């Protein structure tokens, strides 16, 4: 049984020690469901291995506080151990420390200033189609309704707003096969792909400011493949390009941009995920930034589930005590002081404590 | 039993009808060995499924006339059939028509003007290490000694002299991995490979004249490969380049040239085969060009076993009645008149008939 009255540091360790690699979250979901079921001011529901607990106080606003309970595969780094103010183990930063904060808030705050929906979901670390938040959005969209959402992913204690979209396209060049001893009888598709690389090498990525946050785009080849045999002039070459685009563009606009950039080439979209605007102009978000972030926030450049919340019409940010650079590493740890601080800041927000006025954090990218 | 007194056209058909896909040449080698063994003026020896028959008349010069007896796999194109002056079937052009001419010459010419070594060898259509001529060169180099050699490969009845060398190198570019959402933290090796393609696109291949024949070099990417994952800036990209070089360069000079062309890149040689000079200035070769080619010859651009003979110190050319463009096709055929013409021309040469003076054929490549 999880003891939600225990210190958030000890609770984090307890959560890490219940293994929950993606697809194997049942034991942890059971423990969370049972512990929250014993809290009188919450209504608890379950969908697969996702657990949703809500207050229902009739507040004018509802906020969603969400986190995934699965981890990447364990590499001899469970159970957890503490050393020098750090808790080591798989999932300490990504993101059982965040989940521990969620659980502490859920149990402790019987009368928060906003109604709160606490979401604990499965399968975030694997293919998008298995994602538990995606399943919830399809099965029970009512459970995800709210005016603002916080995903407690590892951000090193900094609020990260919005997220960039990502699109992958295959840019294919064509030629004509010939024996390489008579190469002038054919046309070399790999040489032709040099023109695609010319475009990429000359490309100047945008760094637009969106709602006060500085984004940073990127256009890069992530794969290249071509060739038939060691003595044949190749007739096809495929450059797979990944475009990371700021949230002032829609997916449609991003695709149109790529088709313009690669005018004259065969361009096929193979994968796409939308960006999310920061949404920090929403009153609930602005209040959150003041109370929790001491007025500071920065742009999220990677793609996260905030985009999924954004698609549901719920402005969302990332904020959590974990260290993003340690996620998915063998030596993953979390600073225990940071977990305590996150609990305190979130508590301050949900109990109405004041914060500093919002100002974007200085841009830290080179 | 092969009837070496029969017409060369019928003999070609008979040879085609004895299946001899590489590795399965025994029945045909047996038939050839038996038929030549019955010819009084020849000494016949066997090595594996290669058969070598020689005259020994004490002539001042010895010529080697060689051909492979294997074929590529059959695709419902055996037995042969004749239609409109063409003999259809697997191996008709490549190169049982040439072998039929060899057999006719061997049986008919008891007193040729040069001593002749007739070589019938196995496994030319497969990996170089299985090649029967290579095995003979190792086991019985004495059997391949001579002043001049003719390989009766399909050349459409034109003498092809020398051959270009071929060298493959891997040109590797390096970068630094990063998440593609923060691409500026890394360095893209595929973009870097654009500089390799720049070199290839700007390269002007040489077309040197060597001993009166016009060669035509080529420098081409035949493979390109790079990429780690759809969201990772790649740290390595390999461009495999094939250099076809004229016989005025050695393999060492070719490698030095590539290292100069790709200065600053990581260049690794993965494969190489030497070129062969035409050797048409040799008196025996010049006489052959006059007698058989009516004074005409052109450069061989692909790599063939003439390079192997050249390495043994025997100048060699390709000459045969088959059509090179039909080799390895399902609808392979040979023009029966061309087979008769090749037999007549070769007979004229070996019996001392005169020919026109040598002049190179006009360059036919675009």
């Amino acid at each position: 049984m999880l003891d939600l009255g225990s210190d958030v540091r000890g609770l984090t360790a307890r959560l890490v020690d219940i293994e929950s690699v993606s697809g194997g979250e049942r034991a942890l979901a059971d423990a969370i469901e049972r512990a929250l079921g014993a809290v009188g001011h919450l209504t608890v529901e379950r969908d697969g291995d996702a657990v949703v607990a809500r207050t229902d106080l009739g507040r004018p606003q509802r906020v969603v506080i969400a986190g995934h309970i699965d981890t990447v595969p364990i590499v001899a780094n469970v159970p957890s151990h503490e050393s020098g103010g750090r808790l080591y183990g798989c999932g300490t930063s990504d993101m059982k420390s965040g989940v521990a904060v969620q659980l502490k808030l859920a149990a402790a705050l019987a009368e928060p200033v906003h109604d709160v929906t606490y979401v604990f979901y499965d399968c975030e670390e694997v293919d998008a189609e298995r994602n538990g938040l995606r399943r919830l959005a399809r099965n029970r969209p009512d459970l995800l309704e709210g005016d603002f959402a916080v995903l407690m992913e590892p951000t090193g204690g900094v609020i990260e707003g919005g997220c960039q979209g990502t699109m992958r396209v295959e840019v294919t060049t064509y030629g004509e096969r010939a024996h390489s001893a008579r190469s002038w009888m054919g046309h070399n598709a790999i040489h032709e792909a040099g023109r695609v690389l010319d475009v990429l090498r000359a490309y100047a990525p945008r760094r637009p400011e969106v709602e006060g946050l500085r984004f940073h785009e990127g256009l890069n080849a992530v794969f290249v493949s071509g060739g038939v045999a060691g003595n044949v002039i190749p007739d096809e070459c495929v450059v797979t390009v990944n475009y990371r685009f700021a949230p002032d563009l829609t997916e449609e606009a991003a695709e149109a941009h790529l088709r313009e950039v690669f005018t004259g080439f065969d361009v096929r979209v193979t994968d796409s995920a939308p960006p999310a605007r920061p949404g920090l102009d929403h009153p609930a978000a602005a209040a959150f930034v003041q109370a929790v972030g001491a007025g500071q926030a920065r742009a999220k450049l990677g793609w996260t589930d905030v985009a999924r919340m954004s698609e549901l019409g719920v402005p969302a940010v990332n904020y959590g005590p974990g260290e993003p650079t340690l996620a998915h590493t063998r030596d993953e740890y979390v600073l225990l002081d940071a977990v305590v601080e996150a609990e305190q800041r979130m508590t301050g927000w949900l109990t109405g404590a004041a914060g500093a006025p919002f100002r974007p954090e200085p841009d830290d990218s080179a």
Side-chain angles (χ1 to χ4, degrees), chain A:
Chain A
M1 182 76 174
L2 294 173
D3 178 5
L4 302 188
S6 68
D7 181 273
V8 73
R9 292 169 286 207
L11 183 57
T12 300
R14 184 80 189 89
L15 293 175
V16 171
D17 295 347
I18 302 173
E19 294 187 7
S20 59
V21 175
S22 309
E25 299 95 335
R26 176 149 304 170
L28 182 54
D30 287 349
I32 289 170
E33 183 182 18
R34 204 158 36 229
L36 293 176
V39 177
H41 60 268
L42 296 174
T43 305
V44 179
E45 301 200 52
R46 177 145 174 177
D47 180 279
D49 284 334
V51 178
V52 180
R54 285 175 301 165
T55 64
D56 196 0
L57 302 164
R59 303 289 195 233
Q61 297 203 321
R62 173 173 291 278
V63 298
V64 178
I65 303 177
H68 64 84
I69 62 173
D70 62 319
T71 69
V72 294
I74 288 162
V75 275
N77 52 359
V78 165
S80 61
H81 69 277
E82 191 183 330
S83 173
R86 298 169 172 180
L87 182 72
Y88 286 86
C90 183
T92 46
S93 265
D94 188 14
M95 57 167 279
K96 289 184 174 176
S97 51
V99 171
V101 172
Q102 288 180 257
L103 288 169
K104 288 294 294 179
L105 299 173
L109 305 180
E111 299 206 334
V113 296
H114 307 303
D115 268 313
V116 186
T117 301
Y118 301 97
V119 179
F120 305 86
Y121 65 100
D122 53 304
C123 285
E124 192 270 348
E125 298 287 11
V126 285
D127 290 349
E129 64 258 30
R130 293 174 60 190
N131 184 295
L133 194 62
R134 173 177 160 149
R135 188 185 65 244
L136 272 176
R138 196 174 54 229
N139 293 352
R140 296 294 305 276
D142 57 301
L143 290 180
L144 300 179
E145 283 171 7
D147 299 285
F148 177 60
V150 180
L151 281 119
M152 297 204 69
E153 291 275 357
T155 68
V158 176
I159 297 170
E160 294 186 332
C163 79
Q164 295 198 130
T166 176
M167 181 170 287
R168 260 174 288 273
V169 296
E170 289 182 355
V171 185
T172 305
T173 56
Y174 299 97
E176 197 181 336
R177 289 192 196 188
H179 195 289
S180 64
R182 292 176 189 78
S183 50
W184 55 91
M185 304 290 281
H187 180 71
N188 195 318
I190 295 177
H191 295 197
E192 199 61 28
R195 297 203 296 123
V196 177
L197 300 184
D198 286 349
V199 170
L200 293 172
R201 288 152 80 197
Y203 188 82
R206 295 191 313 140
R207 301 180 62 182
E209 194 177 290
V210 182
E211 296 172 17
L213 302 189
R214 175 72 63 193
F215 286 84
H216 193 155
E217 298 195 335
L219 186 69
N220 272 274
V222 289
F223 289 107
V224 63
S225 169
V228 176
N231 61 352
V232 174
I233 301 303
D235 58 351
E236 188 173 312
C237 184
V238 180
V239 183
T240 304
V241 174
N242 185 205
Y243 181 34
R244 298 284 173 153
F245 55 100
D248 58 344
L249 294 186
T250 61
E251 288 174 279
E252 293 68 33
E255 181 179 343
H257 176 62
L258 291 185
R259 291 193 181 282
E260 188 184 325
V261 164
F262 293 112
T263 296
F265 292 102
D266 180 9
V267 175
R268 193 168 68 87
V269 177
T270 57
D271 185 34
S272 177
R277 297 185 73 91
L280 299 182
D281 48 356
H282 188 282
F288 176 80
V289 172
Q290 284 179 29
V292 173
Q296 293 201 358
R298 70 180 171 212
K300 182 72 176 179
L301 300 177
W303 196 91
T304 79
D305 272 329
V306 304
R308 211 180 296 282
M309 297 305 295
S310 182
E311 282 193 286
L312 293 171
V314 185
V317 299
N318 284 293
Y319 168 75
E323 273 298 324
T325 56
L326 298 173
H328 306 188
T329 66
R330 189 193 184 95
D331 295 325
E332 179 178 352
Y333 64 84
V334 69
L335 294 171
L336 289 168
D337 284 352
V339 188
V340 172
E341 186 180 336
E343 183 194 11
Q344 288 172 346
R345 287 177 179 273
M346 292 292 282
T347 300
W349 171 49
L350 291 175
T351 56
F358 170 58
R359 66 178 167 81
E361 188 181 66
D363 186 12
D364 67 339
S365 51

